[in-house]
PDB file of all heavy atoms in Angstrom:
ATOM      1  N   SER A 402     -33.916   8.192   0.726  1.00  0.00           N
ATOM      2  CA  SER A 402     -34.083   6.859   0.380  1.00  0.00           C
ATOM      3  C   SER A 402     -33.981   6.945  -1.128  1.00  0.00           C
ATOM      4  O   SER A 402     -33.995   7.932  -1.808  1.00  0.00           O
ATOM      5  CB  SER A 402     -35.375   6.269   0.669  1.00  0.00           C
ATOM      6  OG  SER A 402     -36.360   7.148   0.114  1.00  0.00           O
ATOM      7  N   HIS A 403     -33.654   5.655  -1.759  1.00  0.00           N
ATOM      8  CA  HIS A 403     -33.452   5.521  -3.117  1.00  0.00           C
ATOM      9  C   HIS A 403     -34.520   4.646  -3.774  1.00  0.00           C
ATOM     10  O   HIS A 403     -34.817   3.713  -3.123  1.00  0.00           O
ATOM     11  CB  HIS A 403     -32.186   4.837  -3.475  1.00  0.00           C
ATOM     12  CG  HIS A 403     -30.883   5.782  -3.107  1.00  0.00           C
ATOM     13  ND1 HIS A 403     -30.158   6.315  -4.088  1.00  0.00           N
ATOM     14  CD2 HIS A 403     -30.514   6.319  -2.033  1.00  0.00           C
ATOM     15  CE1 HIS A 403     -29.203   7.055  -3.529  1.00  0.00           C
ATOM     16  NE2 HIS A 403     -29.422   7.069  -2.265  1.00  0.00           N
ATOM     17  N   PRO A 404     -35.014   4.891  -5.043  1.00  0.00           N
ATOM     18  CA  PRO A 404     -35.788   3.931  -5.656  1.00  0.00           C
ATOM     19  C   PRO A 404     -34.796   2.755  -6.141  1.00  0.00           C
ATOM     20  O   PRO A 404     -33.598   3.001  -6.278  1.00  0.00           O
ATOM     21  CB  PRO A 404     -36.259   4.613  -6.918  1.00  0.00           C
ATOM     22  CG  PRO A 404     -35.318   5.749  -7.194  1.00  0.00           C
ATOM     23  CD  PRO A 404     -34.658   6.102  -5.670  1.00  0.00           C
ATOM     24  N   HIS A 405     -35.271   1.598  -6.264  1.00  0.00           N
ATOM     25  CA  HIS A 405     -34.303   0.462  -6.592  1.00  0.00           C
ATOM     26  C   HIS A 405     -34.804  -0.235  -7.822  1.00  0.00           C
ATOM     27  O   HIS A 405     -35.929  -0.309  -8.152  1.00  0.00           O
ATOM     28  CB  HIS A 405     -34.412  -0.556  -5.446  1.00  0.00           C
ATOM     29  CG  HIS A 405     -33.640  -0.147  -4.146  1.00  0.00           C
ATOM     30  ND1 HIS A 405     -32.576  -0.678  -3.773  1.00  0.00           N
ATOM     31  CD2 HIS A 405     -33.977   0.926  -3.360  1.00  0.00           C
ATOM     32  CE1 HIS A 405     -32.102   0.006  -2.644  1.00  0.00           C
ATOM     33  NE2 HIS A 405     -32.977   0.915  -2.513  1.00  0.00           N
ATOM     34  N   ASP A 406     -33.692  -0.742  -8.544  1.00  0.00           N
ATOM     35  CA  ASP A 406     -34.076  -1.671  -9.684  1.00  0.00           C
ATOM     36  C   ASP A 406     -33.333  -2.929  -9.463  1.00  0.00           C
ATOM     37  O   ASP A 406     -32.822  -3.209  -8.373  1.00  0.00           O
ATOM     38  CB  ASP A 406     -33.723  -0.925 -11.045  1.00  0.00           C
ATOM     39  CG  ASP A 406     -32.328  -0.496 -11.079  1.00  0.00           C
ATOM     40  OD1 ASP A 406     -31.519  -1.027 -10.239  1.00  0.00           O
ATOM     41  OD2 ASP A 406     -31.924   0.171 -12.041  1.00  0.00           O
ATOM     42  N   GLU A 407     -33.045  -3.654 -10.535  1.00  0.00           N
ATOM     43  CA  GLU A 407     -32.548  -4.940 -10.373  1.00  0.00           C
ATOM     44  C   GLU A 407     -30.942  -5.004  -9.844  1.00  0.00           C
ATOM     45  O   GLU A 407     -30.601  -5.973  -9.344  1.00  0.00           O
ATOM     46  CB  GLU A 407     -32.655  -5.803 -11.736  1.00  0.00           C
ATOM     47  CG  GLU A 407     -34.061  -6.147 -12.012  1.00  0.00           C
ATOM     48  CD  GLU A 407     -34.664  -6.989 -10.947  1.00  0.00           C
ATOM     49  OE1 GLU A 407     -34.125  -7.924 -10.515  1.00  0.00           O
ATOM     50  OE2 GLU A 407     -35.762  -6.525 -10.451  1.00  0.00           O
ATOM     51  N   LYS A 408     -30.417  -3.939 -10.338  1.00  0.00           N
ATOM     52  CA  LYS A 408     -28.838  -3.890  -9.943  1.00  0.00           C
ATOM     53  C   LYS A 408     -28.765  -3.315  -8.493  1.00  0.00           C
ATOM     54  O   LYS A 408     -29.462  -2.400  -8.087  1.00  0.00           O
ATOM     55  CB  LYS A 408     -28.142  -2.818 -10.921  1.00  0.00           C
ATOM     56  CG  LYS A 408     -28.085  -3.411 -12.345  1.00  0.00           C
ATOM     57  CD  LYS A 408     -27.385  -2.461 -13.179  1.00  0.00           C
ATOM     58  CE  LYS A 408     -27.390  -2.903 -14.631  1.00  0.00           C
ATOM     59  NZ  LYS A 408     -26.983  -1.719 -15.514  1.00  0.00           N
ATOM     60  N   ARG A 409     -27.915  -4.009  -7.820  1.00  0.00           N
ATOM     61  CA  ARG A 409     -27.642  -3.603  -6.396  1.00  0.00           C
ATOM     62  C   ARG A 409     -26.204  -3.256  -6.191  1.00  0.00           C
ATOM     63  O   ARG A 409     -25.389  -3.963  -6.778  1.00  0.00           O
ATOM     64  CB  ARG A 409     -28.177  -4.671  -5.413  1.00  0.00           C
ATOM     65  CG  ARG A 409     -29.494  -5.172  -5.619  1.00  0.00           C
ATOM     66  CD  ARG A 409     -30.540  -4.132  -5.083  1.00  0.00           C
ATOM     67  NE  ARG A 409     -31.870  -4.440  -5.498  1.00  0.00           N
ATOM     68  CZ  ARG A 409     -32.664  -5.175  -4.615  1.00  0.00           C
ATOM     69  NH1 ARG A 409     -32.234  -5.650  -3.585  1.00  0.00           N
ATOM     70  NH2 ARG A 409     -33.826  -5.459  -5.036  1.00  0.00           N
ATOM     71  N   ARG A 410     -25.931  -2.370  -5.294  1.00  0.00           N
ATOM     72  CA  ARG A 410     -24.587  -2.199  -4.884  1.00  0.00           C
ATOM     73  C   ARG A 410     -24.275  -2.732  -3.543  1.00  0.00           C
ATOM     74  O   ARG A 410     -25.136  -2.411  -2.643  1.00  0.00           O
ATOM     75  CB  ARG A 410     -24.244  -0.677  -5.000  1.00  0.00           C
ATOM     76  CG  ARG A 410     -23.837  -0.113  -6.289  1.00  0.00           C
ATOM     77  CD  ARG A 410     -22.975   1.016  -6.225  1.00  0.00           C
ATOM     78  NE  ARG A 410     -22.465   1.615  -7.348  1.00  0.00           N
ATOM     79  CZ  ARG A 410     -21.670   2.556  -7.483  1.00  0.00           C
ATOM     80  NH1 ARG A 410     -21.067   3.029  -6.446  1.00  0.00           N
ATOM     81  NH2 ARG A 410     -21.351   2.904  -8.727  1.00  0.00           N
ATOM     82  N   VAL A 411     -23.176  -3.376  -3.411  1.00  0.00           N
ATOM     83  CA  VAL A 411     -22.898  -4.013  -2.156  1.00  0.00           C
ATOM     84  C   VAL A 411     -21.523  -3.425  -1.729  1.00  0.00           C
ATOM     85  O   VAL A 411     -20.535  -3.472  -2.435  1.00  0.00           O
ATOM     86  CB  VAL A 411     -22.782  -5.549  -2.290  1.00  0.00           C
ATOM     87  CG1 VAL A 411     -22.408  -6.222  -0.952  1.00  0.00           C
ATOM     88  CG2 VAL A 411     -23.994  -6.141  -2.754  1.00  0.00           C
ATOM     89  N   SER A 412     -21.620  -2.843  -0.541  1.00  0.00           N
ATOM     90  CA  SER A 412     -20.328  -2.210  -0.022  1.00  0.00           C
ATOM     91  C   SER A 412     -19.472  -3.351   0.561  1.00  0.00           C
ATOM     92  O   SER A 412     -19.985  -4.184   1.255  1.00  0.00           O
ATOM     93  CB  SER A 412     -20.641  -1.235   1.045  1.00  0.00           C
ATOM     94  OG  SER A 412     -19.476  -0.664   1.600  1.00  0.00           O
ATOM     95  N   LEU A 413     -18.216  -3.401   0.197  1.00  0.00           N
ATOM     96  CA  LEU A 413     -17.294  -4.524   0.739  1.00  0.00           C
ATOM     97  C   LEU A 413     -16.231  -3.960   1.716  1.00  0.00           C
ATOM     98  O   LEU A 413     -16.050  -4.504   2.813  1.00  0.00           O
ATOM     99  CB  LEU A 413     -16.692  -5.303  -0.378  1.00  0.00           C
ATOM    100  CG  LEU A 413     -17.693  -6.019  -1.286  1.00  0.00           C
ATOM    101  CD1 LEU A 413     -16.992  -6.537  -2.549  1.00  0.00           C
ATOM    102  CD2 LEU A 413     -18.309  -7.136  -0.454  1.00  0.00           C
TER     103      LEU A 413
END
Side-chain angles (χ1 to χ4, degrees):
Chain A
S402 62
H403 288 250
H405 288 247
D406 58 16
E407 290 304 306
K408 292 177 187 171
R409 305 287 172 89
R410 275 208 178 190
V411 178
S412 177
L413 296 171

